[in-house]
Amino acid sequence: MSYEVFARKYRPQTFDDLVGQPHVSRTLKNAVTQNRLAHAYLFVGPRGIGKTSTARILAKSLNCVNGPTATPCGECHNCREIAAGNSLDVIEIDGASNNSVEDVRQLRENVRYAPAKGRYKIYLIDEVHMLSAAAFNALLKTLEEPPAHVKFIFATTEPQKVLPTILSRCQRFDLHRIPANLIAQHLQFIAGKEKITLEPAAAHAIARGAEGGMRDAESMLDQLVAFCGEKISESDVLNIFGFTAEQTVVDLTGRILRGETPAALELLYEQCESGKDMMRLMSDLIVYLRDLLVFKAKPDVLDEDIDPDLKKSLAAHAELIETDRLLDLIDQLAAAEGRMKWAPNKKLHFEVAIIRAIQSLGQATLDEVIERLSELRDGGRARPPGAPPTKPAAAGSDRGNEGSRRQKAGITDPGYSKAETARVAETAVQSQPNADELWHKVLAKIPVKGFLRTLSESIRPIGIDGRNFLLGHSPDDQSKVEALASPNNRRQLETLLGEASGCDWSVRFVAKEGIVPPKAFGAGSEAARSVEWFEDDRLIQEALEMFNAQIKS
Ligand SMILES: [Zn+2]
């Protein structure tokens, strides 16, 4: 017997064989059993997930000599002919190539004749959205008044392109992408039948690569057998298709979340040198972070898609990053992925993305600085270098919402934030007088009336972090500042800061206990007074001591 590809050889023959579409098979089985059949069905979903297979099974159910039955025998001449695709009563039409009015007119002619052998004449139109508008209209005439012996089964990947008048006459079924675990299981089933040894990790790597499409997964297995013979390992799969090992993505994520820039880049270079597809690695990384996001929201949702080892990694990584930081991270990497698409040097963009991601994760520790300064204010001593940070939960609970909100913004990984904290705190403290002078110039230019003035009266400069100009306000003013700090007002402040200093700034608003609004200072020597105020503050004194810093005036 000639060689048959797996996708064909192991095409599902009954509703129970269908993988990953229980909602569809159950409904269709019930419809057939109860003889509640529609005239037209529409199967919707991405390619390679079983639309055509479902259509053929339905056709067999309807025309099997024992039917209509939810369990077609697969042995009668009707079943066999349908499975082989040469039944006279099941007319398969490819919408992509038979999309003219003439084709549809011919179909309408034939619809009138009774089926040759089976119970029904079944028209199976694949890619139905490819029909021309005129062809759709011609088809509609038949759909409006179909003869009792005719059934239509349509399949499409793009339902939005199908005329609404057609859609409304069909019973629609949406087929889903198949969970990776189910694909892996099915591949193992095929491997068993074919006497192939397929490593579980290899099956999983194929399943991930197939992105929910069974046909793609089966084709990959075909290729692997042709290439490797009877024993297929994970590294075979990774090498042949240029996929990245799941472990690599896990490692890379860990290094990014822990802020280990050199180690993360080293891993990237290794992957690049061993010829891995950088786009693929980036998209795997984003998918993993997406999984992490879902895991943080609801850990058991992913059970069908991931193996237990991966779940452990997700649990560990979930501890390292807060949800809003994770969202930012995904945004950043998705933007980088977009840039990489057209870039000749993809590795370069990947590198920059990693460095930027780690840097912006580090920036969050600014909130930690404030947190720690508040800790000092509240009477706690500064942590000596190397000591673990205060537990977020404990810190959050006694300071209410305000505390927990700050905690949320910061990342909770102890390993890498300390050095950053110190660095940022130093910058913030040292540049304070500059910030005040600059702010004084800005205040002079803000109109005496208006929202911007109201806003400026509730905030006070508390420091500079890189290009961020930090404006503090009392937690009591939180909602007021949020309301007034519109993008437009922020831009105005940034423009004024730029004019006063000659460089670009982005303003950040920070809630902080003990902020005295600038109204409390005399109008004349605000800068000098603020330095005085600054020096007198016990909190600042301790910070100066802790970081061995100075106030420059
Ligand atoms: Zn049969």
Side-chain angles (χ1 to χ4, degrees):
M1 194 183 153
S2 66
Y3 176 72
E4 211 178 355
V5 296
F6 292 150
R8 190 179 285 256
K9 190 167 175 185
Y10 294 97
R11 189 189 266 280
Q13 298 299 335
T14 65
F15 287 119
D16 293 330
D17 291 347
L18 271 178
V19 178
Q21 314 294 351
H23 58 299
V24 174
S25 49
R26 193 173 57 230
T27 317
L28 288 176
K29 267 159 80 175
N30 285 341
V32 174
T33 316
Q34 297 164 10
N35 204 16
R36 300 167 71 92
L37 297 165
H39 283 301
Y41 291 91
L42 175 67
F43 296 136
V44 175
R47 56 187 211 91
I49 59 168
K51 294 188 297 295
T52 315
S53 299
T54 312
R56 287 211 183 138
I57 295 170
L58 180 59
K60 281 196 290 187
S61 294
L62 297 175
N63 271 1
C64 176
V65 292
N66 307 322
T69 167
T71 49
C73 68
E75 280 162 13
C76 68
H77 56 271
N78 283 347
C79 282
R80 270 183 300 153
E81 280 174 8
I82 294 170
N86 54 19
S87 166
L88 285 176
D89 296 327
V90 178
I91 299 106
E92 292 197 26
I93 299 167
D94 177 10
S97 47
N98 303 287
N99 56 4
S100 67
V101 191
E102 200 42 54
D103 291 319
V104 175
R105 195 165 292 150
Q106 202 183 348
L107 183 153
R108 283 176 58 197
E109 287 291 307
N110 294 333
V111 156
R112 288 187 288 147
Y113 304 114
K117 292 182 192 165
R119 215 163 280 109
Y120 295 101
K121 203 160 187 167
I122 299 164
Y123 288 88
L124 210 160
I125 306 184
D126 204 4
E127 299 299 342
V128 67
H129 64 272
M130 300 287 278
L131 292 183
S132 64
F136 265 130
N137 282 321
L139 182 62
L140 196 58
K141 297 253 164 52
T142 315
L143 270 180
E144 276 167 346
E145 293 164 24
H149 63 263
V150 169
K151 299 280 176 208
F152 285 98
I153 306 178
F154 304 124
T156 182
T157 47
E158 295 177 69
Q160 73 282 2
K161 289 189 184 161
V162 179
L163 281 191
T165 40
I166 302 266
L167 286 178
S168 68
R169 285 180 169 78
C170 298
Q171 233 176 58
R172 171 173 170 163
F173 290 88
D174 286 77
L175 281 76
H176 301 159
R177 286 187 185 282
I178 305 166
N181 281 353
L182 291 180
I183 295 186
Q185 252 173 40
H186 185 71
L187 293 175
Q188 288 294 5
F189 165 79
I190 296 180
K193 292 266 179 192
E194 298 285 324
K195 306 210 165 27
I196 298 162
T197 316
L198 180 64
E199 268 184 16
H204 227 272
I206 301 174
R208 274 195 306 136
E211 293 175 345
M214 186 63 87
R215 191 171 57 213
D216 283 356
E218 287 167 335
S219 308
M220 282 191 237
L221 187 61
D222 265 323
Q223 253 178 289
L224 283 161
V225 173
F227 192 82
C228 315
E230 291 174 352
K231 208 165 180 309
I232 298 166
S233 67
E234 189 192 15
S235 61
D236 292 330
V237 180
L238 304 180
N239 288 335
I240 290 176
F241 299 109
F243 297 163
T244 325
E246 205 152 53
Q247 193 53 45
T248 308
V249 179
V250 170
D251 288 345
L252 183 58
T253 308
R255 290 172 193 191
I256 292 174
L257 294 185
R258 286 190 296 272
E260 301 164 355
T261 314
L265 292 179
E266 198 181 317
L267 187 60
L268 181 68
Y269 299 152
E270 267 172 36
Q271 293 298 309
C272 191
E273 264 158 40
S274 59
K276 299 294 183 200
D277 179 354
M278 290 289 107
M279 282 306 287
R280 181 96 209 178
L281 179 58
M282 178 56 99
S283 97
D284 284 351
L285 180 62
I286 294 173
V287 167
Y288 180 82
L289 292 173
R290 170 263 174 199
D291 285 351
L292 188 57
L293 194 62
V294 175
F295 181 87
K296 281 179 82 77
K298 200 168 185 302
D300 49 351
V301 174
L302 295 168
D303 283 358
E304 277 198 322
D305 250 333
I306 58 172
D307 57 41
D309 283 345
L310 192 65
K311 200 168 172 176
K312 276 186 213 149
S313 318
L314 286 172
H317 287 154
E319 298 286 315
L320 294 182
I321 186 163
E322 296 298 324
T323 303
D324 41 2
R325 306 297 304 164
L326 185 53
L327 281 166
D328 285 347
L329 183 57
I330 294 174
D331 273 353
Q332 276 187 22
L333 294 179
E337 190 187 28
R339 287 193 294 275
M340 278 167 74
K341 229 167 248 169
W342 310 107
N345 190 346
K346 300 189 193 307
K347 188 181 98 182
L348 182 138
H349 286 268
F350 209 140
E351 280 169 350
V352 172
I354 288 180
I355 295 170
R356 187 172 289 162
I358 292 177
Q359 207 173 32
S360 68
L361 282 176
Q363 274 172 4
T365 55
L366 179 63
D367 296 287
E368 273 196 3
V369 174
I370 295 160
E371 178 73 19
R372 285 183 61 190
L373 290 176
S374 319
E375 273 171 35
L376 287 172
R377 171 184 299 281
D378 296 348
R381 290 293 312 177
R383 269 181 271 137
T390 327
K391 264 269 176 254
S397 60
D398 58 14
R399 226 167 290 111
N401 284 342
E402 166 60 7
S404 60
R405 199 176 44 73
R406 283 195 212 130
Q407 278 295 340
K408 226 183 196 169
I411 54 169
T412 50
D413 168 37
Y416 102 97
S417 42
K418 277 187 295 289
E420 283 288 308
T421 311
R423 186 186 62 74
V424 176
E426 214 160 345
T427 330
V429 171
Q430 282 187 352
S431 46
Q432 179 68 29
N434 281 336
D436 271 332
E437 277 169 27
L438 202 50
W439 184 243
H440 192 58
K441 289 183 192 166
V442 170
L443 277 180
K445 290 190 184 168
I446 294 179
V448 286
K449 276 188 178 166
F451 289 131
L452 201 55
R453 172 59 65 180
T454 320
L455 173 64
S456 69
E457 281 169 359
S458 308
I459 50 182
R460 202 171 61 70
I462 56 167
I464 286 168
D465 171 34
R467 292 288 89 185
N468 290 320
F469 195 87
L470 308 174
L471 291 162
H473 58 82
S474 153
D476 299 337
D477 286 335
Q478 178 73 22
S479 47
K480 183 175 162 193
V481 169
E482 270 173 17
L484 290 168
S486 63
N488 190 28
N489 280 342
R490 277 165 188 265
R491 250 196 315 278
Q492 281 195 48
L493 284 179
E494 283 163 2
T495 312
L496 290 174
L497 279 166
E499 284 168 5
S501 65
C503 48
D504 291 335
W505 294 100
S506 70
V507 295
R508 284 186 58 185
F509 297 94
V510 184
K512 185 169 177 256
E513 299 285 347
I515 288 279
V516 185
K519 268 192 290 189
F521 297 104
S525 56
E526 237 166 66
R529 277 172 189 246
S530 63
V531 173
E532 262 170 46
W533 176 87
F534 209 70
E535 280 172 340
D536 287 345
D537 191 284
R538 187 173 56 84
L539 169 64
I540 300 296
Q541 285 170 359
E542 294 203 39
L544 291 174
E545 201 180 303
M546 182 166 103
F547 298 119
N548 196 19
Q550 286 179 330
I551 296 182
K552 288 184 187 165
S553 43

